[in-house]
Amino acid sequence: MRFRTAAVAVLLTVTACTTGPSLENRGQVTAPPGDSRHLTIGSAGFTESDLLAQMYAQLLNQAGYQTSLITVANRELYEPALESGQIDVVPEYAATFADWLDAKTNGADAPPVGSPDLDATMKALRGLAEPRGLTVLDPGKAVDQNAFAVTVAYARQHHLKTLSDLGASGLAVRLAAGDECVQRPYCEPGLKKVYGIDITGVDPKGVGTTQAKRAVQNGQDQMVLTTTTDATLDQFGLVLLADDKHLQNADYVVPVVNRSRAGSERVTRALGRLNDVLTTADLAAMNQEVDSWRRLASDVARTYLQDKGLVK
């Protein structure tokens, strides 16, 4: 393989004072799409981001590029590095990244622009990204959203498949989640308003943590906040309830590229091949291989792409 891992310290050094293109470099923002021979792929440092970065690198290698991989867990660091061209490509999540760029552009009190509507979210995201010299490629099928799970036994007992079913049941529900759940519109307030679920309290055990899942498994709580790509639910006897009224934002996986270095049609085509095959279930399964089976993200990514006929 022709990609290598770069040192995180290098990026931290070169981006510590970076806040985006300077006034004298604003020409880069409107520069025509570039096609650099060597591209640096960024990862946010958690399993799923590592897997996506590995797949991006391998697809770009297949298309004739040389690639490096770098991990920076802090978006406050890697996004300015993406603007400046020290990172060329990162996997992102549409609604979350749109809201983050909105807050950076318009202030922390700016109303959210991410929503359950994918088209509206992408329009807002691209409008915020373009002035910063960034191009947001098309989303595929894979989405990593907040999601809610109950035990399989609880779902069977009360005939639950969706969050609407739970609301209609009138059951009192104690929810294992993060502290912020009591205020976030997608969490306790949304569950009450959109679905009519009787949330009697939030047990602050975190989002998708082992502690939170065990609290539901043993009956201390009835439901847990996790994500759609959580690969460990079966281990705890849990099952997701469908968000049938679309409470959650459209956090579809999207590649974001520095336009002046990686905005070419060749890059777009190479990364777009993943959109035709990658699903939410695929991501969950690969997360499980890394987190539970202790396989290397690079190996899991390569096997998946080979199985799908995307790389040799």
Side-chain angles (χ1 to χ4, degrees):
M1 302 300 291
R2 291 179 293 166
F3 57 85
R4 59 186 185 279
T5 301
V8 174
V10 174
L11 183 71
L12 297 180
T13 299
V14 298
T15 62
C17 299
T18 302
T19 57
S22 61
L23 289 176
E24 60 270 26
N25 291 329
R26 286 292 177 183
Q28 295 177 3
V29 174
T30 56
D35 193 25
S36 301
R37 184 169 175 267
H38 182 279
L39 299 174
T40 299
I41 318 300
S43 165
F46 56 94
T47 296
E48 188 169 293
S49 187
D50 289 344
L51 283 163
L52 289 165
Q54 288 283 350
M55 286 190 282
Y56 289 0
Q58 293 178 35
L59 287 168
L60 289 167
N61 287 339
Q62 180 81 10
Y65 294 92
Q66 293 183 339
T67 61
S68 298
L69 290 170
I70 190 165
T71 299
V72 183
N74 190 326
R75 189 180 274 117
E76 284 76 10
L77 286 176
Y78 74 67
E79 189 278 332
L82 182 63
E83 289 187 27
S84 67
Q86 292 154 348
I87 293 177
D88 302 305
V89 184
V90 295
E92 263 293 357
Y93 300 91
T96 296
F97 196 46
D99 284 341
W100 194 88
L101 285 180
D102 186 43
K104 181 176 180 178
T105 302
N106 299 311
D109 295 330
V113 295
S115 75
D117 186 325
L118 178 59
D119 290 339
T121 296
M122 288 297 297
K123 182 178 179 180
L125 174 55
R126 284 172 165 154
L128 289 160
E130 184 176 356
R132 296 181 174 276
L134 306 179
T135 296
V136 183
L137 305 185
D138 289 342
K141 307 169 189 174
V143 58
D144 189 347
Q145 295 170 305
N146 293 302
F148 297 91
V150 298
T151 64
V152 172
Y154 186 84
R156 287 175 178 167
Q157 179 183 357
H158 301 290
H159 310 289
L160 306 176
K161 293 184 178 180
T162 68
L163 289 171
S164 288
D165 292 339
L166 181 57
S169 73
L171 292 165
V173 175
R174 181 172 165 86
L175 176 63
D179 292 335
E180 70 280 3
C181 178
V182 297
Q183 297 177 328
R184 295 287 176 85
Y186 65 79
C187 204
E188 180 183 0
L191 291 172
K192 289 180 174 179
K193 181 179 179 180
V194 175
Y195 287 107
I197 297 174
D198 181 13
I199 304 294
T200 60
V202 173
D203 188 2
K205 286 183 164 56
V207 179
T209 63
T210 297
Q211 184 183 22
K213 291 171 191 170
R214 284 179 177 162
V216 176
Q217 184 182 39
N218 63 29
Q220 178 182 344
D221 300 325
Q222 286 72 51
M223 189 162 67
V224 60
L225 171 61
T226 182
T227 67
T228 53
T229 58
D230 188 331
T232 66
L233 294 179
D234 287 348
Q235 299 174 25
F236 296 90
L238 303 178
V239 62
L240 294 180
L241 296 181
D243 179 22
D244 54 309
K245 292 184 179 179
H246 307 292
L247 172 62
Q248 302 305 321
N249 282 346
D251 261 329
Y252 284 76
V253 175
V254 289
V256 182
V257 304
N258 177 288
R259 184 169 62 245
S260 66
R261 289 184 48 81
S264 70
E265 182 61 31
R266 190 158 66 115
V267 169
T268 299
R269 284 198 306 269
L271 297 180
R273 297 177 69 202
L274 195 58
N275 287 354
D276 296 332
V277 298
L278 184 65
T279 66
T280 303
D282 291 341
L283 269 181
M286 285 189 280
N287 285 339
Q288 183 178 39
E289 290 188 56
V290 175
D291 290 336
S292 299
W293 304 352
R294 302 304 181 191
R295 293 190 62 196
L296 294 175
S298 57
D299 293 340
V300 173
R302 185 181 304 111
T303 298
Y304 178 80
L305 294 178
Q306 289 173 339
D307 288 346
K308 298 297 182 181
L310 298 182
V311 300
K312 296 178 181 179

